[in-house]
Amino acid sequence: MAVVGIILIFTFVISAGLPLFFKVGPYRFLFGMEWRPTGGQFGILPLILGTLLVVAGALVVGGSAGVVTAIFLSELCPQVLKRTFKVVVELLAGIPSVVYGFFGIIVLIPFIRSQVGGSGYGILSASIILGIMILPTVTAIAEDAVSSVPIDYKLAGLSLGATDWQTIRQVILPAATGGIATALVLGIGRAIGETMAVLMVIGNAPQIPDSLVKPVSALTSTIALDMAYASGDHRTALFAIAIVLLLIITLLLISIRLLHARLGSAE
Amino acid sequence: MTRARVFDLSAKAVAWAVAISTMVFLILIIGYVVIRGVPSIASVGLEFFTTAPRGIKMQGGVYPMIVSSIYLTVLSLVIAFPIGLGAAIYLAEYAGRGRFVELIRFSADLLSGVPSIVFGLFGLAFFVYFLKMGYSVLAGALTVFLMVLPTLVRTSEQAIKAVPRSYREASLALGASKWQTIRRVVLPSAAPGILTGVILAMGRAFGETAAVLFTAGSVPQTPASPLDGGRTLTVHLFYLATQGQIEDSFRVAAVLLFVVLGFNLTAGWMMARFRRRFG
């Protein structure tokens, strides 16, 4: 069923979007500077850049905090607090993305507007919201990786007179690199695919980003916003964007597989 | 104090600070929505849950949205449960390590990575137009079913695999067939774990927005049959929040949080009990 599902999704999305690739040409579609679908301009470079910048920002915010929290949970956290912390992290993973988007609109946007300037909508806001959203994913998987490092490694490090921090940095982290990388890649996957929260805080103006606090657009948010009224080529173009998203996700998944295969053979 | 010791202490201090502020921030999000939302619901009273929204701005009650959300969640799980469980039994008990099984696992992973808006587009093209279901709860439920399937299969498979070998051997030694063993021994023991997966999937279905927006639609009516369209609570919150109706948004967000967190807390609690039993 999963196989049938995935085949159905790929065939339908690809057959609905592919005509545009031929009509516009893959180069002009992917690297065109202007997304003005009602005027016949189908360049998605602004959207790709929007997505890339937001995801990079989310990784800086949520990826780093997630990895540090994971190390904290498995190495430093007192047992009493650990359960509570883990429950909170799990709960956060379940909050619907519209609720995150709503939180962004009422708290984050006014804050950025008054502290940083601009309208508040833009890459900065979207990065922070997405960072918070990927944090639980990154934390949970990185924590698994860090705690599955054999305790012997840690004891060996400590018994050589290394401090806790030296042991973590030079023994435990290198041993957990593969797992932490997987956590970050999954975080990236989640950030690329996230739609509603991004749609609600990014500002939705398909232009080449030149400021962190100016409204831009991302791949997913454009599909969600335009689908309500798109027709003809515009509609086909949205499916073509979906093809791009599917390709990115497939590549990410394959890279995780390769990572595991390499680590598996190294052990 | 040596340099190494200073480094050690400051690194630990940073880790503590990051972890604590993460937690505080996370609790703040939930707390803020609850603190603003619950009194607001209380001031409207029970009517909030039992009446339809009024006027062009959709203020007041959310009864039709609650019905749509529950309808969609239940329907997608009714479809997903037998199929997911069947797939999990196959993967855990019958499947070897062949190429086909690898393909299934890869597809499941891929399916769980597909962005929700792409599911929405697919649902629109396939269920709404190609199969001519129109904007309907059924089209939404089928789309969400595909989304929750990987989670459901994975948790059920793990639950089945967690049942100790000795249980199976005891049953087989009594002369039971493989299927009898699965049905009478393995599945009942794995039931709490499987149920955990179902509850998690329900939480996800209830909280999904992008995939239902263009499949179930956004008409604020109470769906009478699966072929009617409806507006879920999540889609409602999206419209309210982007139209700047903050007070109404807080109420809907609080309801969503309570339901989804309730599902997840229950699932977490059941999973902990299940793990304690089978290690």
Side-chain angles (χ1 to χ4, degrees):
Chain A
M1 197 64 202
V3 182
V4 177
I6 211 74
I7 293 173
L8 266 181
I9 291 179
F10 272 77
T11 19
F12 257 81
V13 171
I14 291 177
S15 66
L18 212 55
L20 194 96
F21 272 100
F22 292 118
K23 192 161 179 186
V24 180
Y27 184 82
R28 275 188 50 210
F29 179 67
L30 290 173
F31 299 105
M33 305 275 278
E34 207 178 346
W35 172 258
R36 205 155 42 78
T38 43
Q41 293 292 326
F42 299 107
I44 63 167
L45 190 64
L47 315 179
I48 294 179
L49 287 178
T51 292
L52 283 182
L53 286 171
V54 167
V55 170
L59 212 51
V60 172
V61 177
S64 54
V67 172
V68 174
T69 309
I71 294 171
F72 173 80
L73 281 177
S74 71
E75 299 299 321
L76 302 169
C77 185
Q79 212 59 36
V80 203
L81 279 177
K82 196 167 167 175
R83 284 270 295 277
T84 325
F85 271 42
K86 282 181 112 167
V87 170
V88 174
V89 171
E90 270 171 35
L91 284 186
L92 282 157
I95 296 180
S97 56
V98 265
V99 176
Y100 278 110
F102 171 57
F103 185 80
I105 290 181
I106 52 163
V107 177
L108 196 60
I109 302 259
F111 179 79
I112 303 245
R113 191 185 300 143
S114 65
Q115 299 299 315
V116 187
S119 63
Y121 293 91
I123 289 172
L124 189 58
S125 301
S127 294
I128 295 175
I129 285 291
L130 268 186
I132 299 170
M133 291 181 73
I134 67 169
L135 199 137
T137 315
V138 175
T139 305
I141 298 165
E143 207 256 337
D144 272 350
V146 176
S147 19
S148 66
V149 173
I151 185 122
D152 307 3
Y153 287 29
K154 185 176 166 184
L155 295 178
L158 294 174
S159 69
L160 288 171
T163 61
D164 287 344
W165 167 241
Q166 284 169 333
T167 310
I168 289 173
R169 203 172 66 92
Q170 294 179 8
V171 180
I172 295 177
L173 284 188
T177 312
I180 293 177
T182 306
L184 291 175
V185 176
L186 283 174
I188 294 176
R190 178 135 196 238
I192 291 177
E194 180 46 47
T195 312
M196 299 315 284
V198 174
L199 172 65
M200 289 161 87
V201 300
I202 202 168
N204 302 311
Q207 49 188 330
I208 302 276
D210 59 356
S211 150
L212 289 182
V213 289
K214 251 171 72 177
V216 289
S217 283
L219 294 167
T220 48
S221 62
T222 304
I223 300 180
L225 190 73
D226 290 10
M227 203 58 217
Y229 65 90
S231 59
D233 277 352
H234 187 186
R235 201 183 173 86
T236 317
L238 297 180
F239 278 93
I241 296 179
I243 299 179
V244 174
L245 283 168
L246 283 176
L247 280 181
I248 298 174
I249 296 296
T250 312
L251 287 178
L252 279 180
L253 188 63
I254 291 175
S255 71
I256 293 184
R257 290 269 158 142
L258 290 179
L259 197 71
H260 275 262
R262 261 185 64 183
L263 290 173
S265 61
E267 270 159 17
Chain B
M1 217 157 42
T2 63
R3 245 176 82 100
R5 186 99 186 88
V6 173
F7 263 110
D8 184 45
L9 283 180
S10 38
K12 277 182 192 163
V14 170
W16 268 95
V18 170
I20 298 269
S21 44
T22 305
M23 292 305 142
V24 170
F25 205 76
L26 298 179
I27 294 167
L28 199 82
I29 297 183
I30 300 176
Y32 188 56
V33 171
V34 171
I35 286 170
R36 289 282 304 268
V38 172
S40 184
I41 293 175
S43 72
V44 178
L46 220 55
E47 276 170 42
F48 180 65
F49 299 103
T50 54
T51 59
R54 291 183 308 272
I56 191 118
K57 290 181 86 179
M58 298 282 158
Q59 284 168 313
V62 290
Y63 175 72
M65 292 79 187
I66 293 179
V67 174
S68 297
S69 280
I70 294 176
Y71 212 152
L72 192 131
T73 306
V74 170
L75 196 58
S76 63
L77 262 296
V78 166
I79 303 168
F81 180 69
I83 294 173
L85 187 60
I89 294 175
Y90 171 75
L91 284 174
E93 297 284 334
Y94 292 98
R97 289 180 126 240
R99 259 170 188 268
F100 182 63
V101 176
E102 262 303 296
L103 181 70
I104 294 180
R105 283 185 206 284
F106 188 77
S107 310
D109 282 354
L110 204 55
L111 207 54
S112 64
V114 171
S116 53
I117 187 66
V118 177
F119 275 106
L121 270 191
F122 166 73
L124 180 71
F126 187 64
F127 298 122
V128 175
Y129 288 120
F130 186 74
L131 296 182
K132 299 196 170 56
M133 291 179 190
Y135 291 108
S136 60
V137 172
L138 183 63
L142 285 167
T143 310
V144 171
F145 144 71
L146 283 176
M147 282 186 79
V148 298
L149 191 63
T151 326
L152 202 59
V153 173
R154 198 175 312 124
T155 42
S156 309
E157 187 192 345
Q158 279 165 359
I160 293 171
K161 280 187 169 162
V163 176
R165 244 183 106 83
S166 54
Y167 284 36
R168 295 186 177 81
E169 281 164 358
S171 167
L172 292 172
L174 288 171
S177 69
K178 179 153 188 177
W179 174 242
Q180 283 170 327
T181 304
I182 292 173
R183 207 168 66 88
R184 300 271 178 79
V185 178
V186 178
L187 287 186
S189 315
I194 296 171
L195 200 57
T196 307
V198 172
I199 296 173
L200 275 178
M202 288 178 84
R204 222 178 137 200
F206 201 90
E208 181 50 41
T209 315
V212 299
L213 185 57
F214 298 116
T215 49
S218 56
V219 186
Q221 61 180 7
T222 311
S225 88
L227 291 173
D228 284 344
R231 176 193 276 209
T232 61
L233 279 171
T234 48
V235 172
H236 192 47
L237 173 59
F238 169 65
Y239 282 116
L240 291 175
T242 45
Q243 285 160 10
Q245 287 169 249
I246 302 302
E247 216 36 50
D248 291 288
S249 299
F250 267 116
R251 291 195 276 265
V252 178
V255 174
L256 272 173
L257 268 188
F258 271 113
V259 174
V260 172
L261 295 187
F263 277 135
N264 286 10
L265 274 178
T266 316
W269 176 74
M270 287 187 61
M271 185 56 103
R273 275 191 44 175
F274 183 70
R275 285 228 180 97
R276 226 171 299 145
R277 192 155 146 217
F278 289 128

